[in-house]
Amino acid sequence: MNYRYIREAAYEANMQLPKLGLVLFTFGNVSEADRDKGVFAIKPSGVPYEQLSPEKMVIVDFDGNKVEGSLNPSSDTLTHAVLYKHWEEIGGIVHTHSTYATAWAQSQRDIPIFGTTHADYNTVDIPCAPPMSDEMIQGNYEYETGFQIINCFKERGLDYKEVEMILVGNHAPFTWGKNATKAVHNSAVLEQIAKMAFLTEQINPNAPRLKDALIKKHYERKHGPDSYYGQPDYH
Ligand SMILES: [Zn+2]
């Protein structure tokens, strides 16, 4: 089997989505890239999770051309391709319509940083890109979705290596990471942060954002040069 490593990695990561309760039916897709070969493996379109296998993953290049596979790749493939092409240090991407994160996307709101769970992963609110323009929607929609994400990060001065998640307004979340496993982890974390933020606003509509000292403390505990969370060399 060609591209065995990324086929298996993409397969395993895709299979995590239903297990984590992040997808319904055939919703959602994960990909894993091989930077040396300039390709990624992605879920085929419309195939139920229980029928997936590493062999059924589709190999696509960073321009969205199919390189190997008998099935059609996920309908969101071009969004993955654009992100891999422009953000050279990511190795895995996930797209789901997980309930709470999607509800924030539909509300066109950033997820405010309310607590330390959020601060362990991000020092900023989770960005919600604006809904796409009519021209982008009527053009090459999935391709333009990738640019909507990249443009939002540019406009806000965000670094994709620092913030590994976004909501696309009126649509749903995308997450990424150094590989597909990390990107799936980020999707599950995002869903949990989205749920907690929703509940926080229900209990107290005027809940304040997390104070700076706690944001800094929690993020640096896990990510700073003096991080001390977990075990040495075991991230
Ligand atoms: Zn979608």
Side-chain angles (χ1 to χ4, degrees):
M1 185 164 67
N2 296 326
Y3 308 105
R4 177 183 291 272
Y5 178 77
I6 53 171
R7 284 177 177 282
E8 285 176 353
Y11 167 72
E12 296 293 340
N14 272 289
M15 295 307 282
Q16 287 299 311
L17 297 185
K19 284 187 193 142
L20 290 165
L22 298 172
V23 293
L24 197 63
F25 304 122
T26 63
F27 292 19
N29 43 74
V30 185
S31 65
E32 167 115 6
D34 181 332
R35 289 273 164 196
D36 294 335
K37 297 196 171 90
V39 296
F40 61 95
I42 191 165
K43 181 169 161 274
S45 183
V47 178
Y49 282 88
E50 61 274 17
Q51 292 174 21
L52 292 179
S53 64
E55 292 77 10
K56 285 184 182 160
M57 297 296 121
V58 185
I59 306 297
V60 179
D61 69 20
F62 296 159
D63 291 316
N65 303 306
K66 184 157 87 172
V67 172
E68 188 178 86
S70 51
L71 298 165
N72 290 328
S74 160
S75 52
D76 295 308
T77 293
L78 283 176
T79 310
H80 291 240
V82 167
L83 295 180
Y84 283 128
K85 185 153 187 164
H86 290 84
W87 288 350
E88 292 177 357
E89 290 184 42
I90 59 176
I93 298 171
V94 178
H95 175 50
T96 77
H97 289 194
S98 65
T99 308
Y100 286 88
T102 301
W104 284 90
Q106 293 182 173
S107 305
Q108 298 181 27
R109 284 189 58 196
D110 294 355
I111 304 176
I113 181 164
F114 282 133
T116 62
T117 320
H118 185 137
D120 281 339
Y121 288 85
N122 295 285
T123 58
V124 295
D125 297 351
I126 310 295
C128 181
M132 289 161 64
S133 69
D134 290 0
E135 292 71 28
M136 290 174 103
I137 293 163
Q138 286 152 11
N140 192 340
Y141 176 63
E142 290 79 13
Y143 186 71
E144 297 289 0
T145 300
F147 286 106
Q148 189 76 352
I149 292 169
I150 288 168
N151 290 340
C152 176
F153 266 59
K154 261 189 209 152
E155 278 163 23
R156 296 185 187 212
L158 296 173
D159 180 348
Y160 71 87
K161 287 169 275 179
E162 288 285 319
V163 179
E164 296 181 322
M165 49 190 73
I166 193 171
L167 310 172
V168 176
N170 291 147
H171 184 180
F174 286 81
T175 65
W176 50 88
K178 65 177 189 224
N179 55 36
T181 304
K182 182 70 194 325
V184 169
H185 177 91
N186 286 336
S187 271
V189 167
L190 170 58
E191 180 63 3
Q192 187 70 3
I193 289 171
K195 185 176 182 179
M196 288 175 172
F198 168 75
L199 291 170
T200 301
E201 289 196 348
Q202 298 304 299
I203 296 165
N204 179 3
N206 299 313
R209 292 173 83 260
L210 191 61
K211 52 195 229 172
D212 285 344
L214 273 171
I215 293 175
K216 198 162 180 284
K217 183 73 188 168
H218 271 264
Y219 191 79
E220 288 181 354
R221 221 166 54 133
K222 274 196 166 177
H223 302 274
D226 302 320
S227 63
Y228 56 88
Y229 175 86
Q231 306 302 321
D233 301 323
Y234 193 84
H235 295 286

Short mmCIF file of all heavy atoms in Angstrom, two decimals, residues 76 95-97 171-172 174, ligand 1:
data_model
loop_
_atom_site.label_atom_id
_atom_site.label_comp_id
_atom_site.label_asym_id
_atom_site.label_seq_id
_atom_site.Cartn_x
_atom_site.Cartn_y
_atom_site.Cartn_z
N ASP A 76 -15.01 18.59 1.42
CA ASP A 76 -14.27 19.72 2.00
C ASP A 76 -12.78 19.67 1.68
O ASP A 76 -11.99 20.43 2.25
CB ASP A 76 -14.44 19.72 3.53
CG ASP A 76 -15.89 19.98 3.92
OD1 ASP A 76 -16.45 20.97 3.44
OD2 ASP A 76 -16.44 19.20 4.71
N HIS A 95 -12.42 18.86 10.36
CA HIS A 95 -13.64 19.66 10.24
C HIS A 95 -14.80 18.84 10.78
O HIS A 95 -14.97 17.68 10.39
CB HIS A 95 -13.88 20.02 8.77
CG HIS A 95 -15.17 20.75 8.55
ND1 HIS A 95 -15.53 21.86 9.29
CD2 HIS A 95 -16.19 20.54 7.67
CE1 HIS A 95 -16.71 22.29 8.87
NE2 HIS A 95 -17.13 21.50 7.90
N THR A 96 -15.55 19.41 11.70
CA THR A 96 -16.77 18.74 12.19
C THR A 96 -17.89 19.78 12.24
O THR A 96 -17.63 20.98 12.05
CB THR A 96 -16.62 18.18 13.62
OG1 THR A 96 -16.70 19.26 14.56
CG2 THR A 96 -15.32 17.42 13.81
N HIS A 97 -19.11 19.30 12.52
CA HIS A 97 -20.21 20.19 12.87
C HIS A 97 -20.61 19.87 14.30
O HIS A 97 -21.79 19.71 14.60
CB HIS A 97 -21.39 20.02 11.91
CG HIS A 97 -21.13 20.55 10.53
ND1 HIS A 97 -22.12 20.75 9.61
CD2 HIS A 97 -19.98 20.94 9.91
CE1 HIS A 97 -21.60 21.23 8.48
NE2 HIS A 97 -20.29 21.33 8.64
N HIS A 171 -21.22 28.47 9.68
CA HIS A 171 -20.87 27.12 9.23
C HIS A 171 -20.48 26.29 10.46
O HIS A 171 -21.38 25.81 11.15
CB HIS A 171 -19.78 27.23 8.16
CG HIS A 171 -19.40 25.92 7.55
ND1 HIS A 171 -18.45 25.81 6.58
CD2 HIS A 171 -19.84 24.66 7.79
CE1 HIS A 171 -18.33 24.54 6.23
NE2 HIS A 171 -19.15 23.83 6.95
N ALA A 172 -19.22 26.16 10.75
CA ALA A 172 -18.81 25.22 11.80
C ALA A 172 -17.32 25.36 12.05
O ALA A 172 -16.64 26.16 11.39
CB ALA A 172 -19.15 23.80 11.36
N PHE A 174 -13.19 24.44 12.33
CA PHE A 174 -12.03 23.75 11.76
C PHE A 174 -10.92 23.80 12.81
O PHE A 174 -10.76 24.82 13.47
CB PHE A 174 -11.53 24.44 10.47
CG PHE A 174 -12.41 24.23 9.28
CD1 PHE A 174 -13.56 25.00 9.09
CD2 PHE A 174 -12.10 23.26 8.33
CE1 PHE A 174 -14.39 24.81 7.99
CE2 PHE A 174 -12.93 23.06 7.22
CZ PHE A 174 -14.07 23.83 7.05
ZN ZN B 1 -19.00 21.73 7.07
#
